[in-house]
């Protein structure tokens, strides 16, 4: 009887411990938050922000348009109103939305209203899609960027918008080893991405604008 009672006590203790672990994991997962930004080529924005400590994931996709579940071809063709955007999931205990917005402004050319770098047109414009609770933080980051640059920042702070992830071909493009055919012959996606980023002049322009304050240029 004593052995049975001891076994029940141990089992109950294990169950309670497992319950606390599960509750802790659930609580931690519920603490994660997201921001959505548009900074030109979504491959580049995704690659930049996945380097930030506290960011759990960055997903390439589309926001701000009038078409539900748009395809990449629909968006780049124009007329849907979507921006190439990235949804960034982060742990606010490790990095704040304010810091992420500051990094965002310093990773793009926020003075350019016609696109970003070699990518032109409405799809590649910069923007922040902010919830009501994020708007003041985003506006403060924009004001700070403008003061630091001494130039007009044209990046709009828009309202929250439905975010549509792009298809799997575009996710983690910067680190994929699968081969694709480019005008320079077969290359891995990772190498094609590096060649594209350099040729597009992204890092050169960001470095020119922000100098040592550019967090990702050349990384």
């Amino acid at each position: 009887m004593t052995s049975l009672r001891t076994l029940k006590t141990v089992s109950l203790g294990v169950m309670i411990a497992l319950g606390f672990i599960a509750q802790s994991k659930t609580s931690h997962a519920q603490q994660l938050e997201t921001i959505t930004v548009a900074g030109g080529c979504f491959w580049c924005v995704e690659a930049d922000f996945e380097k930030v400590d506290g960011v759990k994931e960055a997903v390439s996709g589309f926001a701000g348009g009038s078409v539900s579940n748009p395809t990449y071809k629909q968006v780049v063709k124009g007329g849907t109103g979507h921006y190439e955007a990235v949804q960034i999931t982060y742990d606010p205990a490790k990095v704040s939305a304010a810091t992420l917005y500051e990094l965002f402004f310093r990773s793009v050319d926020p003075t350019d209203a016609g696109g970003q770098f070699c990518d032109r047109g409405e799809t590649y414009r910069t923007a922040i899609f902010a919830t009501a609770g994020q708007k003041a933080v985003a506006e403060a980051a924009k004001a700070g960027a403008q003061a630091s640059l001494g130039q007009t920042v044209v990046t709009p702070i828009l309202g929250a918008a439905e975010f549509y992830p792009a298809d799997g071909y575009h996710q983690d493009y910067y680190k994929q080893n699968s081969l694709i055919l480019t005008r320079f012959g077969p290359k891995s996606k990772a190498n094609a991405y590096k060649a594209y980023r350099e040729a597009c002049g992204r890092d050169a322009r960001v470095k020119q604008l922000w100098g040592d304050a550019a967090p990702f240029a050349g990384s």
Side-chain angles (χ1 to χ4, degrees):
M1 181 64 73
T2 301
S3 298
L4 181 59
R5 190 176 293 121
T6 301
L7 181 60
K8 285 183 177 180
T9 301
V10 171
S11 298
L12 181 60
V14 170
M15 289 175 66
I16 292 172
L18 290 174
F20 276 123
I21 292 171
Q23 185 177 10
S24 176
K25 288 183 176 179
T26 300
S27 176
H28 183 70
Q30 289 174 342
Q31 291 174 2
L32 297 180
E33 297 179 8
T34 64
I35 63 169
T36 302
V37 298
C41 170
F42 52 23
W43 298 338
C44 297
V45 179
E46 179 187 346
D48 286 346
F49 279 88
E50 286 194 341
K51 297 182 179 76
V52 177
D53 186 36
V55 169
K56 299 301 181 183
E57 184 181 29
V59 177
S60 291
F62 314 104
S66 58
V67 177
S68 297
N69 298 306
T71 66
Y72 179 77
K73 287 185 178 180
Q74 284 178 304
V75 173
V76 297
K77 183 179 179 181
T80 70
H82 288 91
Y83 294 69
E84 282 202 7
V86 174
Q87 188 174 77
I88 300 165
T89 300
Y90 65 99
D91 184 346
K94 293 184 177 180
V95 64
S96 67
T99 295
L100 293 174
Y101 287 139
E102 288 171 6
L103 291 173
F104 167 70
F105 277 111
R106 288 156 182 76
S107 68
V108 297
D109 179 354
T111 69
D112 187 350
Q116 285 291 283
F117 319 108
C118 68
D119 294 317
R120 313 310 301 165
E122 65 177 14
T123 303
Y124 299 104
R125 294 169 296 167
T126 60
I128 291 175
F129 297 91
T131 64
Q134 295 169 335
K135 187 173 181 180
V137 178
E139 291 284 8
K142 178 177 177 176
Q146 185 160 289
S148 294
L149 276 182
Q151 300 181 50
T152 300
V153 168
V154 298
T155 303
I157 310 300
L158 304 175
E162 188 75 26
F163 176 80
Y164 300 99
D167 61 83
Y169 177 87
H170 294 286
Q171 305 301 335
D172 294 323
Y173 194 96
Y174 72 100
K175 59 185 178 183
Q176 288 190 34
N177 291 319
S178 54
L179 291 177
I180 58 169
L181 186 61
T182 74
R183 59 179 176 167
F184 304 108
K187 285 182 176 288
S188 69
K189 284 184 177 180
N191 286 333
Y193 164 76
K194 290 176 184 176
Y196 154 76
R197 182 163 179 149
E198 182 176 358
C200 199
R202 187 182 189 99
D203 291 331
R205 174 58 178 156
V206 169
K207 192 73 173 176
Q208 180 186 43
L209 271 177
W210 294 103
D212 292 339
F216 307 117
S219 62

